[in-house]
């Protein structure tokens, strides 16, 4: 493996790619605490906890992301992060606001979907119960 000054980082959500680009450093939080990855870090896999992931880009600027729990895989000079929910922010104050707004909206949508599914299940159980009733 050759030494590199950057690594490709991809942040995947279920419906889209949140980030795909080059970075010189990544910091994140796993179940056993915070850690950093540089381009020539050894390959690894770790579970992430809900936290902030920070990238230092090629021009020295930082990009921050609020992530729900997820999985980080580093292989060679590529880091892939998969998470159910995530948002990008310009700074920690705006990131906190975006996380709250986005995650609360997602929680409400999930609650509505679960309620609809429960109604469908209850309807199906009633129909099966009706099929078992003896016909007169």
């Amino acid at each position: 493996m050759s030494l590199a000054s950057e690594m490709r980082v991809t942040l995947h959500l279920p419906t889209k790619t949140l980030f795909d680009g080059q970075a010189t450093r990544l910091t994140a939080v796993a179940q056993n605490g915070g850690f950093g990855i540089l381009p020539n870090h050894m390959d690894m896999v770790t579970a992430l906890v809900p936290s902030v992931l920070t990238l230092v880009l090629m021009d020295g600027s930082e990009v921050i992301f609020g992530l729900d729990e997820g999985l980080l895989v580093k292989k060679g000079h590529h880091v892939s992060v998969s998470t159910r929910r995530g948002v990008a922010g310009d700074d920690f104050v705006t990131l906190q606001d975006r996380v709250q707004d986005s995650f609360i909206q997602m929680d409400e949508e999930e609650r509505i979907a679960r309620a609809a599914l429960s109604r469908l299940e209850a309807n199906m159980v009633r129909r099966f119960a009706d099929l078992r009733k003896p016909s007169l």
Side-chain angles (χ1 to χ4, degrees):
M1 183 184 318
S2 64
L3 293 179
S5 60
E6 73 269 348
M7 58 191 161
R8 180 173 176 202
V9 178
T10 309
L11 299 174
H12 301 283
L13 300 177
T15 58
K16 68 179 182 176
T17 299
L18 187 58
F19 179 85
D20 187 6
Q22 300 296 115
T24 60
R25 184 173 49 214
L26 176 148
T27 58
V29 183
Q31 293 173 339
N32 58 348
F35 64 95
I37 295 178
L38 297 173
N40 298 302
H41 193 282
M42 65 184 223
D43 292 352
M44 63 179 281
V45 175
T46 190
L48 300 176
V49 296
S51 59
V52 174
L53 182 138
T54 305
L55 296 175
V56 177
L57 304 180
M58 300 296 295
D59 62 4
S61 63
E62 281 192 352
V63 182
I64 57 176
F65 300 91
L67 302 180
D68 200 350
E69 55 193 20
L71 186 67
L72 179 143
V73 178
K74 164 118 178 23
K75 183 175 181 189
H77 300 303
H78 184 248
V79 178
S80 179
V81 177
S82 297
T83 183
R84 195 168 64 107
R85 301 187 289 191
V87 294
D90 300 322
D91 56 48
F92 288 106
V93 174
T94 59
L95 180 64
Q96 181 179 359
D97 294 341
R98 293 184 83 187
V99 164
Q100 287 178 342
D101 293 344
S102 177
F103 287 14
I104 288 171
Q105 178 185 351
M106 288 180 190
D107 287 341
E108 179 63 17
E109 290 170 357
E110 288 175 3
R111 187 193 63 74
I112 291 169
R114 280 193 300 274
L117 182 60
S118 293
R119 286 191 300 274
L120 286 170
E121 289 172 348
N123 189 23
M124 188 181 340
V125 168
R126 269 191 246 97
R127 288 181 182 223
F128 277 125
D130 289 344
L131 289 173
R132 296 187 72 183
K133 289 182 183 175
S135 35
L136 300 175

